[in-house]
Amino acid sequence: LPAAVLGMVSPIVGFPDWVTFLANFVGIIPLAQLLGIATEEVSLYSNEVIGGLLNATLGNATELIISIFAIKAGLLRVV
């Protein structure tokens, strides 16, 4: 979580772009894992269909977020 905060603050402070990228890259890994754990916990209290649907939908949330920011930045070749 500290890496995610550093990634958000680093452009404001004026750190180089590579520091911002590295901090965001390192910061998104535990957040994606936390999202996976939360999805599994919710699926324990629902049926298999709802659990599978949540896992398939939210399992790609990290890629979706990155794609949205890349499109907003005009990086269509990345997407």
Side-chain angles (χ1 to χ4, degrees), residues 4-17 19-20 24:
V5 174
L6 176 65
M8 290 186 281
V9 173
S10 64
I12 298 168
V13 176
F15 288 149
D17 290 341
V19 174
T20 304
N24 285 320

Side-chain angles (χ1 to χ4, degrees), residues 51-76:
L53 183 62
L54 279 174
N55 195 12
T57 304
L58 297 178
N60 296 326
T62 306
E63 292 86 358
L64 181 65
I65 292 167
I66 292 171
S67 298
I68 289 171
F69 278 98
I71 290 171
K72 286 176 68 176
L75 303 172
L76 297 178

Side-chain angles (χ1 to χ4, degrees), residues 28-64:
I28 205 165
I29 294 169
L31 294 176
Q33 183 181 9
L34 184 63
L35 187 60
I37 292 169
T39 303
E40 289 175 9
E41 289 293 320
V42 169
S43 69
L44 289 175
Y45 296 101
S46 63
N47 60 21
E48 280 188 34
V49 175
I50 300 292
L53 183 62
L54 279 174
N55 195 12
T57 304
L58 297 178
N60 296 326
T62 306
E63 292 86 358
L64 181 65

